Amino acid sequence: MAVIHKTTMKPTKLELLAPWLPLQPWYVGTGRAPELSRVGGFRLDDPRGEVGIEFMVVRDDSGERPVHYHLPLSYRGAPLDGAEQGLIGTSEHGVLGQRWIYDGTHDPVLVAQLLALLQGRAEAQMQSESDTPDRSVTVERAEAIPASSGTPDVTNGPDGTRLAVGPLALDVTRVLRPEEDVRAAALVHALAHVSAGWRLPDGGEARGRFAVLSDAVSRAS
């Protein structure tokens, strides 16, 4: 069970993300520095209790229209070997001390737990409360999902991030859109997908797909 500490981080998560986001291939450029706010997300527990796992939604208000980004983040007490390209930065946590913050698609612990969520072996947790399931996060899955193992192969592109994990392809949405705006064709080969909500500037809420799990062979055919 992850314990959520009500404390400070210096620099804050948003301060670390502001220079990192524009460097990503899926970032929607505005010609201005990002103006970020946190507007949603959820967490997963690391069974060993060592890695913090968060799926954060941030809104960028620097352009003519707000853009909502899905950012899987992992928090570690020491550097993760071989994941230098996924490092967003370090921050001083008021309780835990120095933390290394990664784009979680490069962190095998986060990827394993996201797969566990999609396969029905893990439960989404509230973003800001300890030991509290988040029932608003929903997963739809096929009856049988193949087992997977090994180090994920990460590919970033303008449409998001794809993780190849054994026989599976895990597509992580980066620019969030309401579910009704997403083409049904995207789920033709889906074995499972996870949906969650985020807050809109007018105070309403939208829901969309955060990740889609597919059979890699079927997806390629």
Side-chain angles (χ1 to χ4, degrees):
M1 179 193 75
V3 177
I4 308 302
H5 298 281
K6 308 295 184 181
T7 186
T8 59
M9 293 186 72
K10 297 180 180 180
T12 68
K13 299 173 189 178
L14 295 183
E15 288 171 341
L16 286 174
L17 288 168
W20 178 83
L21 262 178
L23 302 177
Q24 308 314 306
W26 35 262
Y27 178 71
V28 181
T30 65
R32 301 171 57 190
E35 299 174 12
L36 303 180
S37 56
R38 189 170 71 169
V39 294
F42 61 94
R43 289 180 178 262
L44 293 175
D45 284 340
D46 171 13
R48 300 180 64 180
E50 296 177 354
V51 180
I53 300 172
E54 180 177 14
F55 298 84
M56 181 188 292
V57 181
V58 300
R59 185 178 72 234
D60 180 10
D61 289 309
S62 64
E64 294 183 2
R65 296 182 179 179
V67 181
H68 297 88
Y69 294 99
H70 167 218
L71 305 176
L73 303 173
S74 66
Y75 309 96
R76 289 176 167 266
L80 174 60
D81 290 343
E84 293 80 9
Q85 63 180 334
L87 181 65
I88 296 173
T90 60
S91 179
E92 191 69 21
H93 189 281
V95 175
L96 302 175
Q98 189 170 20
R99 305 293 281 172
W100 280 257
I101 301 176
Y102 289 90
D103 172 3
T105 60
H106 294 270
D107 192 318
V109 173
L110 181 145
V111 174
Q113 289 311 108
L114 178 55
L115 285 171
L117 174 68
L118 287 158
Q119 294 168 335
R121 299 181 290 105
E123 186 175 38
Q125 301 291 311
M126 294 292 288
Q127 190 175 29
S128 302
E129 300 293 334
S130 300
D131 194 25
T132 306
D134 188 342
R135 308 296 185 193
S136 71
V137 179
T138 59
V139 178
E140 295 185 27
R141 68 178 65 87
E143 291 186 5
I145 297 177
S148 59
S149 61
T151 302
D153 181 20
V154 183
T155 303
N156 271 303
D159 295 326
T161 302
R162 168 164 288 191
L163 304 174
V165 190
L168 301 177
L170 179 56
D171 289 296
V172 177
T173 305
R174 294 300 199 156
V175 180
L176 291 170
R177 297 178 176 86
E179 220 149 21
E180 59 268 20
D181 293 345
V182 178
R183 292 177 301 150
L187 296 178
V188 168
H189 300 295
L191 297 171
H193 66 271
V194 58
S195 298
W198 62 91
R199 297 183 297 280
L200 297 173
D202 62 6
E205 182 180 270
R207 288 186 62 83
R209 295 176 193 132
F210 280 43
V212 178
L213 184 67
S214 306
D215 181 284
V217 175
S218 297
R219 189 65 182 262
S221 62

